[in-house]
Amino acid sequence: MQFPESWLRAFCNPSLTSQQLADTLTMAGLEVEELHPVAPAFTGVVVGQILSAEQHPNADRLRVCQVDVGQGAPLNIVCGAPNARAGIKVPCATVGALLPPGEDGKPFAIKLGKLRGVESQGMLCSAKELKISEESHGLLELDDDAVIGRNIREQLALDDMLFTLKLTPNLAHCLSVYGIAREVSALTDTPLLQPEFPPVPAGVADRLPVTVHASDLCGRFSGRVVRGVNTQAQTPGWMVDRLARCGQRSISPLVDISNYVMFELGRPSHIFDLDKIHGGLQVRWGREGEQLKLLNGHTVVVDGAVGVIADDHQVESLAGIMGGDATAVSDETQNIFIEAAFWWPQAIAGRSRRYNFSTDAGHRFERGVDPSTTVEHIERITQLVLDICGGQAGPLDDQTLALPEGKPVTLRVARAVKVIGMPVTQAQCAGALRRLGLEVSEGDGTVTVAPPAFRFDLQIEEDLIEEVARVIGYEQLPTNPPLAPITAKLRTESQRGPFAVRRQLAQLGYQETINFSFVEERWERELAGNADPIKLLNPIASQMSVMRSSLLGSLIAVLKFNLDRKAQRVRLFELGRVFRKDAAVVDSDTTVAGFDQPMHVAGLAYGGADGLQWGTADRLVDFFDVKGDVQALLAPLQPVFKPAEHPAMHPGRCASVWLDDRCIGHVGELHPKWRQSYDMVQAPVMFELALDAVLRRDVPVFQPVSRHQPVERDIAIVVKESVSHDAVMATIRTSGLPLLRQAALFDLYRPKKQADGVSGALAADEKSLAIRLTLSRDDATLTDDEIEASVQSVLKALAHGVAARLR
């Protein structure tokens, strides 16, 4: 909400500077989002009166004006504004004046000069040139009572400050200048000027029959007929200025009066053209199929959930939101009907959003507007109408059907002390609430408040505690250090942090992606094999209805998004939490009973194994590339890969990843049926691991470097094609040789089949593996006998374990 400081101080004028006032409001929960003067800094601009305006001898669009600025002799000023004419008073920038900065950021200096051969001793200004308004229709014409020669900043109060407040929904009583002044009075203990609403005497006896059919829509309806108004009268300059400084453009006197009272007192109202109403008015819920053309030009269709005001022929207004075009006031309007009502907040809330627009009236009514002041505000509007547009008022009609009943709320002083966190007395609590204009009664250690009609937010004890804290001042809260001992949680040396995992994956060429934990139920069923996922009671979208138990679905969706945009090579990873049902989980500080929520890390590779280059031949990424990335991620731990099956992965190109007899995840290609379903040219290779296993790090242990050189021996063995590399290495590792330090495969040979089908020394179902054995001991150099015995032991173990023979 935006308003000028001068209007606020007309109701309550504390001895505070503008900045101090802004700080006071902010610390009371009324956040001042912006504070700036009405106009930027400029100097040398005064009120001038054009004495004459004659045609420029050398330019059709210029006039030579004689301008009186109170200096004795008039100034000769050349002006091109279309409304420059004799008799009007306008801002005049004299020689030496500095106008607001332009696009270059530098002030514009007024100098003595010539325009088309005629000397110009200054400049006549528009509102846009003074940065008062963005609209410019020529010179800014001042009121006739403007004092010639007076500084324009003083004449127009341009040093007035504009406050922009960011109000929370519970502060509906502050959606007016008077409401904010009431808060300032309570916060600063400054007297508040109470507005008076003397009854307007009736000059005519006319009434408009109004029937309220829905008390759950409208609890009170007040109205009055005014005849003989002049809608072509000018809105007073003081009202136009105040509206402009609230961000509201002047439209017509009747509309301006309605808007002015809304900003002043927080009461939205509506003025109907009486002659356009057919019969009487009915306040009711809408009916299916009814249509209404609104003041903004939109035509809406109402139903039984939307409140309306209708006459005998059609709907004329959306209740509490916006009036209709059919009964809008115009320049031809002579007779009007002024309406002010109490609309139940729950009957207005959300209705304007159904039609994709919002209004100031709807914003206020859906938060709650004081139902006790409809008559007083009708009197205020009527008096302004008579003063500005003339006319004669009829008697005021007021129907009260159902008003909110404010239930007393009790505050326990001991509870307030505990919640606020500082000692407060019962007298302080009662005094703070009384300063807010609340009716207070005290008991033994309690304070009971009967909420006034304008406070819809006071419903529970905590609401009163908040009010006490606001009035006392949040800045008064003590800054006591915590009393509990603080123990820093240090990560053990045997564990690295998640950031280190992210950095290592980035170094491997993967890019991080962050996705929602809510996914499609289809993903869980197809890619995670989870037939019973955790379902959301209120999903943010229909396609995000369950919690994910795997990160793979999110990565595939991101890959598809990139492929649809012609990406050729994609490397993605995500580090996040997954969710699954587990009855073994119990409640604790970090867990929820029945639900397991571990952290996982997953990656995906698609496209070429390397970027475009000349050094290597192009090839697509395969299982072994990603397996190598997983090994690098887990190093120096040595994972074991075993053939496995996974719902999202190719049945023959998938492996489980094991560490210390624990399966920590899977790596493999995307299943062919899902690759076809997602319309991918090739299958991406993926992995998903438990993060706690990836974070594990064995603490390095010192080992002395052997003084004796190791010995290497190469053996070539023949095994069946079905024997895997892991089986061979496991047999060598379990041979129990004390001298064996390392075994590594360095060659694989499969002979080509000859024409007769015989493969030479090897059978058709055999292959040859070349393995390098590294042997050493720490206390002495190996002898030939020890070396030969170790090699023979390995060969015997291989012959027994995998039926291998020396080639």
Side-chain angles (χ1 to χ4, degrees):
M1 177 181 172
Q2 179 179 300
F3 61 91
E5 181 183 3
S6 59
W7 198 357
L8 174 66
R9 290 187 182 273
F11 288 110
C12 180
N13 190 13
S15 56
L16 300 174
T17 65
S18 300
Q19 188 59 55
Q20 289 172 334
L21 180 58
D23 293 341
T24 300
L25 289 171
T26 298
M27 291 307 298
L30 286 74
E31 181 185 350
V32 178
E33 194 172 33
E34 190 176 3
L35 176 66
H36 60 87
V38 172
F42 59 82
T43 60
V45 183
V46 298
V47 176
Q49 183 174 26
I50 301 178
L51 302 178
S52 65
E54 300 179 357
Q55 185 66 42
H56 193 290
N58 300 320
D60 294 338
R61 297 186 179 181
L62 298 179
R63 291 181 177 84
V64 180
C65 302
Q66 297 296 311
V67 184
D68 181 8
V69 294
Q71 296 179 357
L75 301 180
N76 191 72
I77 299 177
V78 179
C79 177
N83 63 334
R85 63 188 186 277
I88 64 171
K89 294 180 179 179
V90 296
C92 178
T94 57
V95 174
L98 294 176
L99 297 187
E103 294 181 358
D104 59 356
K106 298 179 181 179
F108 183 71
I110 303 300
K111 302 177 182 178
L112 186 66
K114 287 187 177 182
L115 291 176
R116 295 290 184 94
V118 177
E119 185 177 64
S120 183
Q121 300 170 328
M123 174 180 171
L124 303 182
C125 303
S126 67
K128 187 173 184 179
E129 289 164 338
L130 297 180
K131 298 294 179 68
I132 300 174
S133 171
E134 291 299 321
E135 298 182 2
S136 177
H137 302 291
L139 300 178
L140 174 60
E141 298 187 25
L142 306 176
D143 293 338
D144 293 338
D145 58 358
V147 180
I148 296 175
R150 188 181 186 186
N151 189 302
I152 198 68
R153 300 193 72 89
E154 181 181 353
Q155 178 66 42
L156 298 179
L158 298 183
D159 292 321
D160 193 5
M161 301 296 289
L162 294 183
F163 283 67
T164 302
L165 267 57
K166 185 178 181 180
L167 299 175
T168 51
N170 65 310
L171 295 175
H173 60 285
C174 296
L175 286 169
S176 66
V177 177
Y178 177 73
I180 297 169
R182 186 167 48 203
E183 289 289 308
V184 172
S185 174
L187 296 171
T188 62
D189 203 15
T190 304
L192 175 67
L193 176 64
Q194 298 284 350
E196 297 182 357
F197 309 101
V200 176
V204 296
D206 295 352
R207 297 174 184 268
L208 178 69
V210 178
T211 304
V212 180
H213 295 284
S215 59
D216 57 340
L217 167 65
C218 178
R220 186 176 185 180
F221 193 96
S222 304
R224 160 179 277 158
V225 171
V226 179
R227 289 192 173 275
V229 297
N230 176 19
T231 55
Q232 298 189 23
Q234 290 294 320
T235 304
W238 59 268
M239 182 179 288
V240 173
D241 288 343
R242 282 186 171 178
L243 287 173
R245 294 177 186 185
C246 289
Q248 181 67 48
R249 179 174 56 89
S250 176
I251 299 173
S252 67
L254 292 177
V255 177
D256 291 346
I257 290 169
S258 178
N259 288 333
Y260 180 83
V261 174
M262 180 181 68
F263 285 114
E264 180 184 42
L265 305 173
R267 166 73 59 190
S269 59
H270 187 61
I271 300 178
F272 294 86
D273 188 325
L274 181 64
D275 299 325
K276 296 178 182 178
I277 298 175
H278 304 90
L281 293 180
Q282 298 99 40
V283 180
R284 57 175 173 80
W285 293 104
R287 297 166 185 161
E288 292 290 339
E290 288 184 320
Q291 294 187 355
L292 169 66
K293 183 178 180 181
L294 298 170
L295 290 173
N296 61 8
H298 295 172
T299 299
V300 298
V301 179
V302 302
D303 55 28
V306 179
V308 299
I309 301 176
D311 61 15
D312 293 345
H313 289 179
Q314 61 186 1
V315 175
E316 300 294 359
S317 174
L318 280 183
I321 299 175
M322 184 180 288
D325 181 69
T327 54
V329 295
S330 63
D331 291 345
E332 289 75 32
T333 299
Q334 296 181 351
N335 306 307
I336 60 174
F337 178 73
I338 304 171
E339 165 264 313
F342 167 67
W343 308 99
W344 288 96
Q346 58 268 29
I348 305 301
R351 269 55 175 192
S352 59
R353 287 187 289 276
R354 291 180 56 181
Y355 303 113
N356 296 322
F357 67 85
S358 61
T359 63
D360 288 333
H363 182 77
R364 286 164 171 79
F365 278 125
E366 66 184 4
R367 285 161 174 77
V369 177
D370 188 355
S372 66
T373 55
T374 58
V375 171
E376 289 84 351
H377 293 173
I378 285 282
E379 298 288 3
R380 172 64 167 160
I381 296 171
T382 304
Q383 189 60 60
L384 289 172
V385 170
L386 298 182
D387 292 344
I388 297 172
C389 301
Q392 291 183 308
L396 195 150
D397 289 326
D398 180 36
Q399 301 181 52
T400 301
L401 294 92
L403 298 182
E405 298 179 3
K407 297 181 180 180
V409 183
T410 299
L411 177 147
R412 295 165 292 172
V413 177
R415 172 68 175 166
V417 171
K418 184 177 181 180
V419 173
I420 296 175
M422 65 179 288
V424 292
T425 64
Q426 182 169 329
Q428 283 179 299
C429 294
L433 296 172
R434 285 193 178 100
R435 283 165 61 181
L436 289 168
L438 307 179
E439 183 181 336
V440 177
S441 60
E442 300 184 48
D444 185 13
T446 63
V447 177
T448 302
V449 170
F454 62 86
R455 293 301 297 266
F456 287 78
D457 59 315
L458 301 181
Q459 299 179 1
I460 59 177
E461 183 179 20
E462 281 70 16
D463 296 331
L464 296 184
I465 295 174
E466 180 185 3
E467 296 303 296
V468 171
R470 286 200 313 118
V471 176
I472 292 176
Y474 293 124
E475 68 276 8
Q476 302 299 326
L477 294 177
T479 55
N480 297 328
L483 301 178
I486 298 177
T487 304
K489 290 186 177 181
L490 299 178
R491 191 165 52 245
T492 62
E493 189 179 359
S494 62
Q495 189 179 39
R496 59 177 171 172
F499 179 76
V501 176
R502 291 186 172 95
R503 183 170 54 189
Q504 185 173 359
L505 283 167
Q507 291 171 345
L508 290 170
Y510 291 79
Q511 293 184 325
E512 184 175 13
T513 178
I514 301 175
N515 301 288
F516 280 109
S517 297
F518 319 133
V519 299
E520 292 187 42
E521 188 172 2
R522 179 175 62 90
W523 293 1
E524 283 296 293
R525 185 173 61 255
E526 296 177 351
L527 300 177
N530 185 5
D532 187 23
I534 301 171
K535 295 185 178 181
L536 300 175
L537 294 178
N538 187 24
I540 61 175
S542 60
Q543 72 274 18
M544 305 172 77
S545 58
V546 300
M547 303 294 288
R548 66 185 180 185
S549 63
S550 170
L551 304 180
L552 296 180
S554 300
L555 291 181
I556 293 173
V558 175
L559 170 64
K560 188 67 170 62
F561 181 88
N562 283 270
L563 295 181
D564 290 343
R565 284 150 185 81
K566 306 304 180 184
Q568 300 297 322
R569 185 176 183 271
V570 180
R571 298 289 188 279
L572 302 169
F573 81 90
E574 182 175 8
L575 194 152
R577 196 172 298 279
V578 298
F579 308 84
R580 54 199 176 207
K581 296 179 181 179
D582 187 350
V585 179
V586 297
D587 265 325
S588 71
D589 293 339
T590 57
T591 60
V592 178
F595 299 96
D596 188 20
Q597 306 174 59
M599 293 288 290
H600 280 195
V601 58
L604 178 149
Y606 180 94
D610 299 299
L612 184 64
Q613 58 166 305
W614 61 271
T616 59
D618 291 340
R619 69 176 182 85
L620 298 179
V621 65
D622 60 20
F623 172 87
F624 297 101
D625 293 314
V626 177
K627 177 186 174 185
D629 291 340
V630 171
Q631 289 175 316
L633 188 62
L634 295 172
L637 302 177
Q638 296 293 325
V640 176
F641 297 86
K642 300 179 180 180
E645 292 187 1
H646 187 281
M649 297 181 184
H650 194 297
R653 300 175 186 175
C654 169
S656 56
V657 185
W658 294 75
L659 280 177
D660 298 337
D661 298 325
R662 175 195 171 192
C663 179
I664 65 169
H666 291 81
V667 56
E669 285 187 7
L670 181 65
H671 198 289
K673 64 180 178 180
W674 307 136
R675 179 179 68 83
Q676 184 177 9
S677 174
Y678 285 99
D679 192 23
M680 296 182 184
V681 176
Q682 72 174 88
V685 186
M686 312 173 294
F687 70 86
E688 183 170 14
L689 307 173
L691 183 62
D692 61 335
V694 178
L695 297 181
R696 205 185 92 194
R697 278 293 175 269
D698 290 340
V699 179
V701 178
F702 169 76
Q703 290 183 346
V705 178
S706 176
R707 296 174 178 271
H708 307 281
Q709 288 189 349
V711 174
E712 294 179 346
R713 287 291 185 270
D714 295 342
I715 60 174
I717 60 173
V718 178
V719 296
K720 294 292 185 179
E721 185 67 42
S722 60
V723 176
S724 67
H725 166 261
D726 280 346
V728 173
M729 291 301 160
T731 301
I732 295 175
R733 284 194 299 269
T734 58
S735 62
L737 292 180
L739 304 181
L740 181 64
R741 297 291 180 264
Q742 185 179 2
L745 174 71
F746 66 89
D747 186 47
L748 168 64
Y749 172 68
R750 290 188 179 94
K752 295 181 181 180
K753 291 185 179 181
Q754 299 178 2
D756 57 359
V758 180
S759 303
L762 302 183
D765 61 344
E766 291 182 329
K767 60 185 176 183
S768 173
L769 303 177
I771 301 171
R772 177 162 296 171
L773 305 176
T774 303
L775 308 171
S776 73
R777 59 185 298 175
D778 298 331
D779 56 347
T781 302
L782 292 174
T783 64
D784 290 341
D785 293 339
E786 291 174 324
I787 296 171
E788 184 61 26
S790 297
V791 172
Q792 291 302 320
S793 295
V794 170
L795 290 174
K796 289 180 181 179
L798 289 171
H800 182 267
V802 294
R805 72 175 188 274
L806 187 65
R807 182 178 175 187

